[in-house]
């Protein structure tokens, strides 16, 4: 039996929001245009982020308010944040306001200035653009993402440490030189590399570089952004400052924001979504010029001491 004519949004998957026939049939059958979509405010929200311009336009003409806000943002904001310019144009054509204030000063129009389509909307007189610091952050994101390339690998763990060099990191870890990364006891071997702004500690095959005991020692007097690319559960991040873990089980580069976030945090999440390694480097203030600190060979391979603080 065809599911096109159901009067709800059951069984509509992520990829289905580009299927105009399916979405139109659901709406015609009586599916609620304002709610009922799992994990989204409603069908317009889902279409803005996942769908096609045609589907966005179809849903937009069925809703009471194309600029309805959910968790501090509109469907147009979601389309811009998801880098869906076609969907954003469809919403604008349906009456959505690009310059409506929201999300710590990031209206949809202002956010678009930081993205790949800065000419998406015409900026009215009186609307502020990017500050010098924000424009610099946008430029640095482009440079850093290009420099690191495709360095996001499964099973990789890394710690990005601000303000200290590789030699100091090795001293803090009480580590000793290792002949190479293929030692029989590779679980206790990590790579350490100097980069502009600090250093990077990696383990390409397991979690040791992001272990709480490791990052706590590395972060004394500074800050450390770490992550483990768990092949089973995804990227698991942490933020450790001056020896104390402040955030645990974060999702670096996951593109998750809330209306309580600062303007700087929202911009960072936008610029580095889908780029967890670049996110950690940027958040720690590191400025590597290439991917060597992550993809290898590192500046040195070292062995962690035979202690239980890192295991």
């Amino acid at each position: 039996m065809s599911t096109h004519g159901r009067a709800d949004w059951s069984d509509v998957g992520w990829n289905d929001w580009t299927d105009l026939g399916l979405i139109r049939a659901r709406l015609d059958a009586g599916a609620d245009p304002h709610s009922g979509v799992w994990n989204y405010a409603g069908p317009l929200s889902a279409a803005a982020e996942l769908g096609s311009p045609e589907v966005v336009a179809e849903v937009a003409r069925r809703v009471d308010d194309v600029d309805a806000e959910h968790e501090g943002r509109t469907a147009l904001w979601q389309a811009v944040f998801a880098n869906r310019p076609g969907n954003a144009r469809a919403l604008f054509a349906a009456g959505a306001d690009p310059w409506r204030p929201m999300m710590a000063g990031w209206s949809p129009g202002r956010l678009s200035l930081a993205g790949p389509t800065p000419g998406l909307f015409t900026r009215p007189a009186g609307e502020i653009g990017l500050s010098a610091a924000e424009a610099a952050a946008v430029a640095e994101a482009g440079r850093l993402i290009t420099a690191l390339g495709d360095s996001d690998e499964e099973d990789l763990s890394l710690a990005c440490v601000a303000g200290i060099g590789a030699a100091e990191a090795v001293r803090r870890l009480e580590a000793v030189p290792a002949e190479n990364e293929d030692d029989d006891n590779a679980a206790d071997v990590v790579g350490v590399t100097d980069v502009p702004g600090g250093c990077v500690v990696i383990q390409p095959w397991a979690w040791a570089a992001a272990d709480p005991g490791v990052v706590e020692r590395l972060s004394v007097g500074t800050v450390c952004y770490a992550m483990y690319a768990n092949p089973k559960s995804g990227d698991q991040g942490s933020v450790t400052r001056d020896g104390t873990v402040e955030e645990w089980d974060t999702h670096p580069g996951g593109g998750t924001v809330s209306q309580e976030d600062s303007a700087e945090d929202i911009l960072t999440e936008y610029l580095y979504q889908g780029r967890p390694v670049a996110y950690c480097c940027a958040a720690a203030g590191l400025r590597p010029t290439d991917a060597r600190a992550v993809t290898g060979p590192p500046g040195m391979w070292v062995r962690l001491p035979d202690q239980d603080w890192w295991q």
Side-chain angles (χ1 to χ4, degrees):
M1 178 183 292
S2 172
T3 62
H4 274 52
R6 287 184 178 176
D8 56 39
W9 301 109
S10 61
D11 300 325
V12 177
W14 286 15
N15 296 328
D16 292 329
W17 290 98
T18 60
D19 187 339
L20 178 59
L22 171 63
I23 302 306
R24 179 178 286 160
R26 293 290 179 107
L27 288 165
D28 288 345
D32 190 345
H34 300 102
S35 64
V37 180
W38 180 82
N39 213 35
Y40 284 91
L44 188 59
S45 172
E49 187 171 316
L50 305 172
S52 64
E54 294 77 17
V55 169
V56 168
E58 180 67 24
V59 179
R61 72 183 185 86
R62 312 270 192 138
V63 299
D64 296 333
D65 181 4
V66 74
D67 269 333
E69 290 190 23
H70 177 71
E71 297 183 344
R73 71 207 82 177
T74 62
L76 179 57
W77 195 94
Q78 288 182 265
V80 173
F81 191 85
N83 289 321
R84 299 279 188 141
N87 292 354
R89 292 186 185 98
L91 284 160
F92 178 63
D97 180 4
W99 306 102
R100 181 180 177 127
M102 63 189 73
M103 299 298 287
W106 290 109
S107 66
R110 187 163 180 268
L111 185 64
S112 72
L113 300 176
T117 53
L120 188 58
F121 309 109
T122 300
R123 180 157 60 99
E127 289 289 346
I128 63 171
L130 300 180
S131 68
E134 289 162 350
V138 172
E140 171 59 13
R143 186 205 66 78
L144 182 56
I145 289 170
T146 299
L148 291 175
D150 189 15
S151 57
D152 300 304
E153 299 290 341
E154 284 189 351
D155 258 343
L156 168 75
S157 63
L158 86 162
C160 297
V161 195
I164 67 169
E168 174 61 15
V170 172
R171 186 194 69 78
R172 293 183 178 196
L173 295 174
E174 303 175 38
V176 297
E179 291 185 4
N180 59 65
E181 74 275 24
D182 296 319
D183 268 328
D184 291 339
N185 297 317
D188 60 0
V189 173
V190 296
V192 190
T193 306
D194 283 308
V195 299
C199 68
V200 175
V201 179
I202 63 164
Q203 189 176 70
W205 52 80
W207 64 84
D211 183 272
V214 169
V215 297
E216 286 168 3
R217 282 158 178 77
L218 289 172
S219 70
V220 172
T222 184
V223 65
C224 175
Y225 283 77
M227 61 160 283
Y228 171 50
N230 191 322
K232 295 182 179 180
S233 57
D235 300 325
Q236 300 170 323
S238 67
V239 182
T240 309
R241 195 179 307 274
D242 198 16
T244 300
V245 177
E246 292 186 342
E247 299 180 51
W248 185 254
D249 201 20
T250 63
H251 190 189
T256 300
V257 294
S258 76
Q259 58 188 323
E260 288 78 29
D261 289 340
S262 69
E264 182 180 359
D265 286 344
I266 290 171
L267 179 60
T268 300
E269 289 288 349
Y270 176 53
L271 295 175
Y272 293 100
Q273 55 188 314
R275 298 285 187 165
V277 170
Y279 177 94
C280 289
C281 288
L286 305 190
R287 302 177 301 279
T289 57
D290 56 36
R292 185 175 70 88
V294 180
T295 61
M300 65 183 91
W301 290 107
V302 297
R303 187 185 304 280
L304 298 172
D306 186 17
Q307 299 179 16
D308 61 5
W309 53 257
W310 68 271
Q311 301 178 54

